[in-house]
Structure formats: C-alpha cells, structure tokens
Amino acid sequence: MKWRQLLRAIKLLLLVLTLILLLAPEWPAFAGERYGLQQVIGQREFDFLVWESNAFLHKGESALAGGHRYLDEVTRKAIVLDYLELTKEARRLESQINALYVDPEVEAPNESSKDLQAQLDSLRGEIEAKQLLAEAIVEEQVGSVLTDEGFELLGEAWPPVLMRVTELPWVLIVSPRDHIEKLYQVNLVTGLTTAEKEEMETAVTEDLDLAALVVPIGGVGTFPSMILETSDINRLAEVVSHEWAHHWLTLQPVGFNYAFDPDVRIINETVASLIGQELGPRVVERYYPEHYSPPADEPPLTAPSYPPAFDFGAEMAKTRIKVDELLAEGKIDEAEAYMEERRQFFVEQGYRIRKLNQAYFAFYSAYAAEPGGAQGSNPIGPMLRDIRDQSPSIRAFLDTVSPITSFADLQGIHKQVTTPAESPE
C-alpha cells in the first residue's frame, strides 16, 4: 500500500514538474523583461511571414509577365515617373482628407470627405495597377548600375535587386535608462496612431523601468526589401540601393554579427547608408537626369555675413555626448530632464521630435554616414568614411569592409588603409 502511495506521489510530482517546464516561460516571474514587453505589445507585432508570402506572389507575377524587358528607355522612364506622380497626388488627397478630420469646424468629416475619398480610391486603383511594372523597371535600373560597379553574376546583378513598395511596420526600440543600448527591437503593425505609440512607450517605462520609443523606418532588408512609398525618384533610388547593400552585406562576414554586436550593427547600417547615398544618385543621373542633383559646390572662402544655418547634426552630437556623461555619473533623472529640454529646443528649430530619450539614441546612433548626430563621439562613422574615401570604387569599398566582424577589425582595417606607406630609401 505504501509503495502504491509513493508511486502515486512520484507520478504527481513528475506531472507538476512537467507543467512547470511547459508553463514557466509564460509566467512573469520566469520570463522577466521579455514577458512584460510582450504583454505591452499584445497582438500588435508585425507578421513578416504573411507579408513575405504576398510579396513573393506579386514578384512571381511580375517575373512571369516580364513586360518591362520589351520597353524602350523613354517609355520605361515615363512609366516610373507617372507612377510617382500618381503617388504624389494620392498623398495630397490623403492630406486633404486628414485635414477635414482634425478641423473642429467640420461637423461631419465622413460626409465632407466623400468626394475626395472616391477620388483617392480611384487613384489607388491606378497606382496598384502600375506598381509592379514600375518596381520591375527600377529594380533593373539599379541592377544595371550595380553590374557596372562589378556586382555581377551571369550577366545580372548579384544579389538580385528585389523590392516591394509597401506600408512599413513601426519599430519599438527599448533601451536601459542608465545607459544607451538597444536591448529590444520589435516590429509593430502598420497604421498605429500617436496615442497607441505613447501608450506602449509609457507602459514599457512604468512597468519595466526601461526607455522606449516607437520609430518610423524608410525600408526593411527583407527579401524582397520593403520600401516606404515615396513620390521622389531620388529617395526611391537611394533607399532601394541602401536595402540592396544590406542583402550583399548579409552574405559576408560583416553581416554575421548584425543582430548580436551593437558595433557591427552600426557598421552595417553606416555602410548601407554610404552605398545608398552614392549609388542612388548614379541611378538617377543615368536614367532620370533632369531630376539629378549634383553635389553642392565647395563653400566660399570668405565667411558669410549672415548667421550660420542651424546645424542639427552638431547640436544632436553635443546632446548625445552630454547625455552619456550624465548617465556615466549615474544621474539618470538629470539626463532625462536634459533630453526633454533639448527636445524642446529642437522643436523650436523646426525639428518635430516627439520624444528624445535613451531609446532614440539607441536607434538613430546606428546611422553614422553623416558627421555628428545621434552617435555623438562614436568613431565608427568617421572611420568608415575614411575607408570609402581611400577606396577607388564602391566594389573596392565593400570588399575592404566585408571581413569585419568586430570593432577591433574595423580599427585594424582603418589603420591599414589610412596609414601612408613608407617610401623605400
């Protein structure tokens, strides 16, 4: 009898242990921050699997049609520019409709916007009908410039240029409050309101004692890449080139540690930005020359008599450096008060920054293609720009940075590239 009781007790204990193992990951006490973050996000996480499935269906349809291959350059150019002009008109109509909904003097915005909404629906139908063809043309144009730069396999650009213009997910960035670091990055559903973003950010701070910010993005390096709708051919060419660079980097050692090493992430994003800023204008210059804007002329030798323009990059770098100093001294409240003071200052200068906190710097400091800015005194951007300046081509630049797997690797390559060779005696 005792043996049976003991056996039942052992079975019960095993059952309890099994349930604990199965259920513990869902308990706040076991899951910690990640569980709390998931509770805040709820059902608002973006589903990439559904998006990728739909994108490949569209691209398969485009590849089977292949109509763009039989069009001359004048026609191809006209198709893309017409598509962008339709997009511009659609965004103008959307702005008019939104204005009716926020105007307190408009009592029935649904009724008042009915005609505008009908125009917008018709226009969106036209845009959808032309989107696949316009995308295929831009993909081939970017690919043609890439093959000339040496990124070619069997007569085609490698990796292939593949993109889809789409509404992009928002991104929730989470950082500790006592220092700046990207702890979590979660892609959220499209169409979030400002109130919903504020609600999530506040919940993360109050429940988890972390800094949070929901940010917009211009593209995502999925395959096909996700590109934010734009009516500007310069912006479109740059972002498509930027995301293609991420595809290339992913296949190299420099892409292996992207998700695990903050420095490598900054290196990747900065390299992709530099490529986009250089390759995009080349595409526009070749295929849309009337829209090409050459680099600005050198500044005048004599100083202007009027006050210099507001330098956002320099002011933001100054802000980042001061915040780092305060956080290093453990002065979290002072740092956060200073960031809010600076946010208001930037708003006064015309920069509509909704929230300036640790998460802001954790996200934007990864983009160091331009001097100053959110990266503060981080040397990664300047070193990569030095390497590009010393590289004879885009291909040579990417080949030079491709072996990088750490900040130490970058330092070694930078020293090797920028140190003058000793002349033989």
Side-chain angles (χ1 to χ4, degrees):
M1 190 68 176
K2 290 181 179 180
W3 285 106
R4 289 183 179 180
Q5 290 177 336
L6 180 60
L7 185 59
R8 288 176 63 186
I10 292 173
K11 288 181 179 179
L12 182 60
L13 179 61
L14 289 173
L15 177 61
V16 171
L17 289 173
T18 301
L19 289 173
I20 289 174
L21 289 173
L22 290 173
L23 299 178
E26 303 301 320
W27 295 356
F30 286 87
E33 284 180 355
R34 185 66 202 190
Y35 174 86
L37 189 60
Q38 197 59 52
Q39 291 298 103
V40 171
I41 296 167
Q43 300 300 312
R44 292 176 288 196
E45 193 161 356
F46 188 83
D47 192 332
F48 278 102
L49 181 59
V50 171
W51 186 89
E52 284 278 4
S53 300
N54 290 332
F56 271 113
L57 285 175
H58 286 299
K59 288 303 170 185
E61 178 185 339
S62 176
L64 289 173
H68 63 286
R69 298 190 182 94
Y70 306 102
L71 302 173
D72 59 64
E73 286 300 333
V74 173
T75 304
R76 288 154 62 94
K77 172 182 173 181
I79 289 171
V80 172
L81 292 179
D82 180 52
Y83 164 76
L84 295 177
E85 191 60 34
L86 290 173
T87 300
K88 183 178 180 179
E89 178 63 15
R91 297 177 77 175
R92 186 187 67 80
L93 287 172
E94 287 171 348
S95 178
Q96 285 184 278
I97 293 170
N98 290 337
L100 291 174
Y101 278 87
V102 299
D103 188 344
E105 296 184 4
V106 178
E107 296 182 357
N110 285 339
E111 188 64 30
S112 301
S113 63
K114 187 177 294 184
D115 290 342
L116 289 174
Q117 189 62 55
Q119 293 178 48
L120 178 60
D121 292 342
S122 175
L123 199 56
R124 280 295 174 191
E126 286 187 65
I127 291 171
E128 185 175 352
K130 297 181 178 183
Q131 181 176 340
L132 279 175
L133 183 56
E135 286 177 352
I137 292 170
V138 173
E139 288 168 352
E140 194 165 282
Q141 290 170 340
V142 175
S144 178
V145 175
L146 284 168
T147 57
D148 290 348
E149 290 291 330
F151 301 95
E152 180 261 348
L153 181 65
L154 301 177
E156 301 288 338
W158 183 260
V161 181
L162 208 59
M163 60 89 173
R164 179 73 176 160
V165 175
T166 183
E167 191 174 6
L168 293 183
W170 291 89
V171 177
L172 173 64
I173 304 297
V174 179
S175 168
R177 292 178 62 211
D178 62 356
H179 67 283
I180 293 168
E181 176 191 359
K182 183 175 70 68
L183 284 180
Y184 303 104
Q185 177 171 323
V186 184
N187 294 285
L188 305 173
V189 294
T190 61
L192 289 176
T193 65
T194 301
E196 289 174 313
K197 299 170 202 169
E198 290 278 352
E199 173 204 337
M200 279 191 280
E201 293 162 357
T202 301
V204 171
T205 300
E206 292 181 351
D207 298 347
L208 304 176
D209 194 27
L210 299 170
L213 183 66
V214 178
V215 298
I217 49 178
V220 182
T222 51
F223 193 77
S225 56
M226 303 175 73
I227 307 296
L228 182 65
E229 182 180 76
T230 179
S231 60
D232 182 359
I233 185 60
N234 292 278
R235 176 65 177 163
L236 179 60
E238 178 179 335
V239 176
V240 172
S241 301
H242 175 112
E243 299 306 335
W244 173 87
H246 277 306
H247 295 162
W248 190 92
L249 293 167
T250 299
L251 302 175
Q252 312 298 324
V254 70
F256 297 166
N257 284 345
Y258 180 94
F260 309 106
D261 187 327
D263 287 334
V264 174
R265 175 174 171 264
I266 296 174
I267 292 167
N268 270 263
E269 292 294 349
T270 303
V271 169
S273 293
L274 290 170
I275 297 305
Q277 291 170 5
E278 186 171 352
L279 194 67
R282 294 191 187 184
V283 174
V284 175
E285 183 180 20
R286 178 180 298 186
Y287 295 103
Y288 310 91
E290 70 274 24
H291 295 274
Y292 172 69
S293 298
D297 295 332
E298 291 294 321
L301 295 177
T302 58
S305 58
Y306 51 82
F310 178 76
D311 190 335
F312 175 83
E315 290 294 336
M316 187 56 77
K318 172 183 172 183
T319 306
R320 171 63 191 269
I321 293 169
K322 180 65 174 179
V323 169
D324 283 337
E325 291 174 356
L326 290 171
L327 292 178
E329 296 170 2
K331 299 176 180 178
I332 298 174
D333 291 339
E334 290 91 333
E336 291 175 344
Y338 172 70
M339 283 187 280
E340 175 55 22
E341 175 188 318
R342 294 292 286 177
R343 185 194 71 81
Q344 294 178 22
F345 168 70
F346 285 116
V347 170
E348 290 171 359
Q349 303 301 320
Y351 294 87
R352 297 182 179 180
I353 299 175
R354 181 174 58 84
K355 186 171 291 184
L356 185 60
N357 61 8
Q358 296 88 334
Y360 177 98
F361 288 113
F363 178 73
Y364 288 106
S365 62
Y367 301 88
E370 300 293 337
Q375 69 269 18
S377 58
N378 192 315
I380 289 177
M383 284 196 289
L384 287 170
R385 291 194 295 274
D386 286 345
I387 295 172
R388 177 62 192 103
D389 289 343
Q390 296 298 318
S391 303
S393 66
I394 292 177
R395 179 73 205 220
F397 172 57
L398 286 181
D399 285 342
T400 300
V401 300
S402 66
I404 294 173
T405 59
S406 65
F407 178 67
D409 289 345
L410 173 61
Q411 288 179 305
I413 289 174
H414 179 262
K415 182 177 181 180
Q416 179 182 352
V417 169
T418 58
T419 301
E422 294 184 4
S423 56
E425 295 182 0

